[in-house]
Amino acid sequence: SDNDVTADQVVSALEKTFGVHQGERRNHTKGTCAVGEFVGSQDARVYSRSALFSGKPVPVVARFSMPGGNPKVPDTARIPRGMALEFRLPDGSLQHMTMLNTPVFGAASPQTFLDDIVAKTPDPATGKPDPEKIKAFKASHPDSLPQAEFLAKHNPPPSWVNSSYFGIHAFKFVNRDNKTTLVRWRFVPEDGEKQLSDDELKSAPKDFLEEKLIDRTRGGPVRWQMVLTIGVPGDNEDNPTLPWPDDRKAVSIGTLTISSATPQKGAECENINFDPLVMTDGIEPSTDPVLLFRSPAYAVSFSKRLNGK
Ligand code: HEM
């Protein structure tokens, strides 16, 4: 059962499939650091008393990343894109949001996540994953299909600034009257959502995302609107592979501004563990077992890389 899957097991599987890159993240290894600020809107305070939504600018350290433990994965890979944010509040507390550019995740349980990584273990004969094992994984894990379908229909973006990023899990917002609201959130880019064409995907170089982000921020700040979706009673809070119905109320609750970007080596984001359970008063986790499993898994990866392993 799921309860048997451990963080160590998952990190070991990541190491077996992608190799160990000393001092580096075991997942989302390739990435770029950035900094900026967030300004929350009054509308958020109906739902959350978090200081994040005071209306005053809150400094943010961000990291854009490619999933998987391969530091050289090409920027054209048909896999999700990640955006992690650390909000540094005036009282010294932190809020993390660690997101992907897909509205749903590819696993409803830690077991599916583990089985996915194991299915991608390179075959010693070819040095590549065995297509039969990947097929068998898909057939036996229907919860992996909604995200795979989204990735099949949406080509990767030409730039980090041309994606929406989704919190994916349900979370709880708690307001001043202790009223709890089940929510999901996403960040919608002011530069617009864009996708590479099939031809562009074939001709694009291996590495372009980092350079384009550095150039784009030199030309001026990049913004995303934070959009909150309000759940209604009965909406699922424990399955990140299933979206809520489209007609749920959505409220714009703040603006993220990214002002500069740098390679990750030695930069501020490098030694942050973007554990999604780091939260301020007014924002709380749901019962989603995948969300709750992330924290121990990130801790194992973080302590290894911090110790130079
Ligand atoms: C069972 C589920 C999951 C496991 C086991 C897992 C595991 C990991 C690990 C080990 C890391 C590297 C941590 C570090 O060394 O700092 C990581 C990074 C990351 N994960 Fe997950 N993850 C899971 C689910 C998710 C989900 C659902 C999302 C998005 C909603 C997500 C988004 C990210 C992002 C964006 C990063 C990079 C963070 C950074 O820039 O440092 N992961 N994940």
Side-chain angles (χ1 to χ4, degrees):
S1 83
D2 279 345
N3 298 332
D4 300 333
V5 177
T6 66
D8 280 321
Q9 233 181 326
V10 168
V11 172
S12 298
L14 285 161
E15 290 177 342
K16 199 167 169 217
T17 292
F18 295 108
V20 172
H21 304 281
Q22 281 189 354
E24 306 277 346
R25 286 166 171 77
R26 269 29 176 196
N27 193 11
H28 290 258
T29 313
K30 187 182 190 184
T32 298
C33 288
V35 295
E37 65 177 36
F38 177 80
V39 179
S41 77
Q42 291 292 323
D43 293 338
R45 302 173 73 176
V46 175
Y47 304 102
S48 173
R49 63 186 177 225
S50 169
L52 193 55
F53 306 112
S54 66
K56 298 194 186 92
V58 175
V60 172
V61 179
R63 185 170 177 270
F64 295 90
S65 64
M66 301 287 284
N70 176 4
K72 295 191 167 145
V73 62
D75 289 345
T76 49
R78 196 176 279 280
I79 55 177
R81 302 291 179 272
M83 178 169 81
L85 304 175
E86 178 171 279
F87 302 85
R88 298 182 167 176
L89 293 151
D91 70 353
S93 66
L94 302 173
Q95 170 71 46
H96 286 176
M97 298 186 189
T98 309
M99 303 174 277
L100 296 175
N101 73 339
T102 58
V104 291
F105 193 52
S109 66
Q111 183 74 58
T112 294
F113 186 90
L114 175 62
D115 292 350
D116 188 14
I117 302 298
V118 171
K120 289 175 180 148
T121 311
D123 182 336
T126 62
K128 288 183 178 160
D130 175 350
E132 288 305 316
K133 292 211 170 120
I134 292 187
K135 244 187 164 155
F137 165 78
K138 285 184 181 162
S140 56
H141 295 78
D143 56 320
S144 71
L145 298 182
Q147 190 193 45
E149 276 160 25
F150 182 88
L151 290 169
K153 279 193 208 134
H154 298 81
N155 282 358
S159 160
W160 290 118
V161 306
N162 295 123
S163 266
S164 283
Y165 297 93
F166 301 82
I168 298 183
H169 309 284
F171 291 88
K172 288 171 182 160
F173 270 26
V174 185
N175 73 8
R176 264 172 227 290
D177 304 323
N178 276 324
K179 183 175 182 276
T180 296
T181 308
L182 197 64
V183 300
R184 281 173 147 173
W185 63 65
R186 65 185 192 272
F187 284 74
V188 179
E190 285 193 353
D191 280 20
E193 285 188 12
K194 290 180 191 155
Q195 295 161 30
L196 292 165
S197 68
D198 291 343
D199 283 344
E200 286 167 337
L201 267 183
K202 278 182 212 132
S203 60
K206 258 187 91 217
D207 300 298
F208 58 90
L209 286 172
E210 182 166 280
E211 206 182 307
K212 275 177 94 170
L213 184 65
I214 292 170
D215 283 355
R216 171 64 188 81
T217 52
R218 282 192 181 133
V222 192
R223 296 192 178 87
W224 281 261
Q225 288 302 314
M226 183 179 183
V227 177
L228 193 70
T229 305
I230 315 300
V232 305
D235 281 347
N236 96 66
E237 72 167 276
D238 59 3
N239 191 335
T241 72
L242 299 179
W244 289 344
D246 285 339
D247 61 1
R248 294 291 175 268
K249 182 177 170 182
V251 193
S252 190
I253 58 166
T255 305
L256 170 71
T257 303
I258 294 295
S259 49
S260 77
T262 43
Q264 63 182 342
K265 262 279 144 276
E268 190 74 17
C269 81
E270 190 185 20
N271 286 341
I272 295 177
N273 170 5
F274 287 94
D275 175 347
L277 292 189
V278 170
M279 295 179 166
T280 58
D281 177 59
I283 305 181
E284 292 179 4
S286 61
T287 57
D288 182 339
V290 175
L291 173 62
L292 302 179
F293 187 84
R294 289 173 67 187
S295 194
Y298 290 37
V300 170
S301 172
F302 183 63
S303 87
K304 285 191 162 184
R305 64 188 175 90
L306 220 58
N307 289 304
K309 289 187 195 148

